[in-house]
Amino acid sequence: MLTTVSTEAAQTGGRAVAKGRLKQSVCRWCYSKIPAPEFFKAVADMGLTAVDLLTEKEWPIVRDYGLICSMGSGFGGSIADGLNVKANHEKIIAGLKRGIPIAAANKVPNLITFFGNRRGMGDAEAAANCVEALNQVKGVAEEHGVNVCVELLNSKVDHKDYQGDHSAFGIGIVKAVGSPRVKLLYDIYHMQIMEGDVIRTIRENHDAFAHFHTGGVPGRHELDDTQELNWRTIAGAIADTGYQGYFAHEFVPVGDPLTSLRQAVVLCDV
């Protein structure tokens, strides 16, 4: 049975965060139709402290609203052309090495990168190539205190042929790299599609996860009774691990966008 929260905070304006054991964030791209100043102000008024997946030029803008970027983008290659192919390494490594000090200076705790599409490559070869590349950036990441986060994505619905489509693949790579600054972006929407068993996976492997994304399954819409996950229980399970990173909403609202975001924030405020 899905858990919903119906409170005054979920329906009205003002601050939506009350407990705040999880640091919630929100992905800008899902709300691109809302002008940036209006969106950033609304996010800050809800009590959120960060916005996810912003490029370098946007980082100073959110600071004007008392926010940070919780996951920086634009330095780590693309979903299709990622760490699994050696020919991509030079560009990705150079991008991350350039971006990490800039992120640190702007108080951006994480930079995103990707495993890449298979294109017929076996997992063992791909994993070795990913480890090789990440070993070349971990020192810079450790020096500046910025997490390099490789995202887990589904290959069933949204990203056909993506190699990092199961948590075990990514966890093995993170363990092989052995750095406190090389972790996974565990996207709950994507991993629910591919393998389910979300809470057990988080409890048993939370040290490998530096960031989380939400999204209702199926459809990647609101975290409500139209989909199959119990988000309040998931949020509580993450908080119970002692997790100190960001829990970022990445669903595409079908209802009023800011009302849907507020409801999700209240639901996950554990």
Side-chain angles (χ1 to χ4, degrees):
M1 179 178 179
L2 297 177
T3 300
T4 59
V5 174
S6 179
T7 67
E8 183 178 353
Q11 305 298 330
T12 61
R15 189 175 177 88
V17 176
K19 299 176 182 178
R21 282 205 301 154
L22 280 184
K23 294 189 296 186
Q24 296 187 61
S25 178
V26 58
C27 294
R28 168 64 178 146
W29 74 265
C30 304
Y31 301 84
S32 59
K33 293 181 180 178
I34 303 175
E38 179 184 342
F39 180 67
F40 296 148
K41 183 180 185 303
V43 167
D45 288 347
M46 286 185 201
L48 301 185
T49 59
V51 178
D52 230 48
L53 297 179
L54 298 177
T55 59
E56 178 185 353
K57 67 181 180 180
E58 297 171 295
W59 297 349
I61 299 172
V62 293
R63 288 205 303 268
D64 293 339
Y65 297 86
L67 304 167
I68 67 163
C69 172
S70 44
M71 177 66 71
S73 65
F75 295 100
S78 69
I79 290 173
D81 297 313
L83 298 165
N84 61 341
V85 174
K86 287 190 176 185
N88 300 330
H89 284 185
E90 182 177 359
K91 181 178 179 180
I92 295 173
I93 291 167
L96 289 171
K97 284 186 173 180
R98 184 180 79 83
I100 287 167
I102 300 171
N106 284 272
K107 301 189 186 314
V108 176
N110 306 294
L111 291 181
I112 193 170
T113 188
F114 304 96
F115 291 114
N117 285 1
R118 286 183 174 86
R119 298 185 177 96
M121 183 180 293
D123 281 356
E125 180 183 358
N129 290 345
C130 291
V131 170
E132 179 181 323
L134 292 167
N135 276 335
Q136 295 182 62
V137 299
K138 68 181 181 182
V140 179
E142 290 166 7
E143 177 185 354
H144 292 277
V146 173
N147 297 319
V148 174
C149 296
V150 198
E151 186 166 19
L152 297 165
L153 300 168
N154 85 76
S155 61
K156 181 179 179 181
V157 177
D158 300 287
H159 302 288
K160 301 293 185 181
D161 201 44
Y162 189 71
Q163 191 120 34
D165 61 353
H166 282 82
S167 57
F169 177 80
I171 291 164
I173 290 169
V174 165
K175 288 181 177 179
V177 174
S179 170
R181 293 298 176 182
V182 174
K183 303 281 187 175
L184 298 173
L185 193 174
Y186 184 86
D187 191 305
I188 299 167
Y189 160 79
H190 288 292
M191 290 300 96
Q192 171 66 7
I193 289 172
M194 294 304 299
E195 61 190 27
D197 202 19
V198 168
I199 290 177
R200 186 196 307 270
T201 299
I202 291 169
R203 284 174 174 164
E204 293 183 353
N205 303 283
H206 60 89
D207 288 345
F209 305 146
H211 201 76
F212 291 93
H213 278 170
T214 75
V217 182
R220 198 179 200 147
H221 299 308
E222 278 84 346
L223 312 187
D224 59 18
D225 283 342
T226 65
Q227 57 83 61
E228 64 195 32
L229 286 167
N230 188 326
W231 285 98
R232 192 163 183 84
T233 303
I234 291 170
I238 293 171
D240 287 346
T241 69
Y243 175 68
Q244 296 298 307
Y246 281 90
F247 180 86
H249 295 293
E250 196 185 19
F251 62 86
V252 180
V254 294
D256 176 72
L258 293 178
T259 299
S260 292
L261 176 59
R262 170 176 294 279
Q263 291 171 346
V265 170
V266 172
L267 179 66
C268 297
D269 183 36
V270 293

